[in-house]
Amino acid sequence: MFLGTHTPRLDVKGRLILPAKFREQLESGVILTRGQERCIYVFTVAEFERIHEQLRSAPLSSKQARDYIRVFLSGASDEVPDKQGRVTIPQNLREYAGLDRELTVIGAGSRAEIWDSVAWAEYLEAQEQSFSETDDDLLPGILL
């Protein structure tokens, strides 16, 4: 499970050093793809394969499903971290997420997410009120 918030930097070659807590899970390879809210999703290969199988079960007749699958998979890139735990973020994904040098990498359970640090701070601030107002109707039995 991916947890926590980390603040690595993007180097001039478009690489980021994966947080030490995540390296063992990701050392054999990662899949990077477009995430929602203009971040980059980081999956283990096994988790990405599981998600792909779920996507394959979506009806081909659903335009929304076709659109989502196209955007999600066309942005995907498989990468293998180097011995220092660095992974290259392809240019198209850096542009999609508006990544600058300062990054925030968060754990989001089954995936990690890479955000531009300014974008993450703005997102977190915008979500704080609704987070504090979350009730049992949205997450039944979770927050007892």
Side-chain angles (χ1 to χ4, degrees):
M1 182 182 316
F2 296 102
L3 301 171
T5 301
H6 311 272
T7 54
R9 289 191 168 162
L10 194 63
D11 72 14
V12 295
K13 295 181 180 179
R15 299 175 300 190
L16 100 106
I17 297 174
L18 294 168
K21 289 177 70 172
F22 299 168
R23 285 188 204 153
E24 187 176 331
Q25 291 173 276
L26 301 173
E27 67 187 356
S28 62
V30 302
I31 307 294
L32 306 173
T33 194
R34 292 180 191 99
Q36 292 160 305
E37 291 86 31
R38 294 247 176 213
C39 68
I40 298 171
Y41 288 167
V42 181
F43 294 103
T44 63
V45 173
E47 179 64 11
F48 191 82
E49 287 172 351
R50 186 191 69 74
I51 290 168
H52 178 250
E53 283 305 311
Q54 288 181 324
L55 292 172
R56 287 182 55 175
S57 69
L60 196 56
S61 59
S62 168
K63 181 177 180 343
Q64 186 176 18
R66 289 191 315 270
D67 290 344
Y68 185 87
I69 290 167
R70 285 178 184 134
V71 171
F72 187 72
L73 295 179
S74 69
S77 178
D78 56 331
E79 305 291 332
V80 177
D82 67 14
K83 291 179 182 175
Q84 287 79 39
R86 295 177 301 196
V87 65
T88 299
I89 302 172
Q91 180 67 31
N92 66 315
L93 291 177
R94 292 194 311 262
E95 289 173 5
Y96 169 79
L99 299 184
D100 199 5
R101 188 159 164 70
E102 303 297 322
L103 305 178
T104 299
V105 178
I106 65 162
S110 64
R111 68 182 182 279
E113 295 179 356
I114 302 169
W115 290 75
D116 174 76
S117 287
V118 171
W120 171 249
E122 290 170 355
Y123 173 82
L124 197 55
E125 183 178 340
Q127 297 306 312
E128 184 58 37
Q129 185 64 35
S130 64
F131 175 76
S132 67
E133 294 172 353
T134 301
D135 59 27
D136 202 40
D137 292 339
L138 180 63
L139 301 170
I142 302 293
L143 305 171
L144 298 176

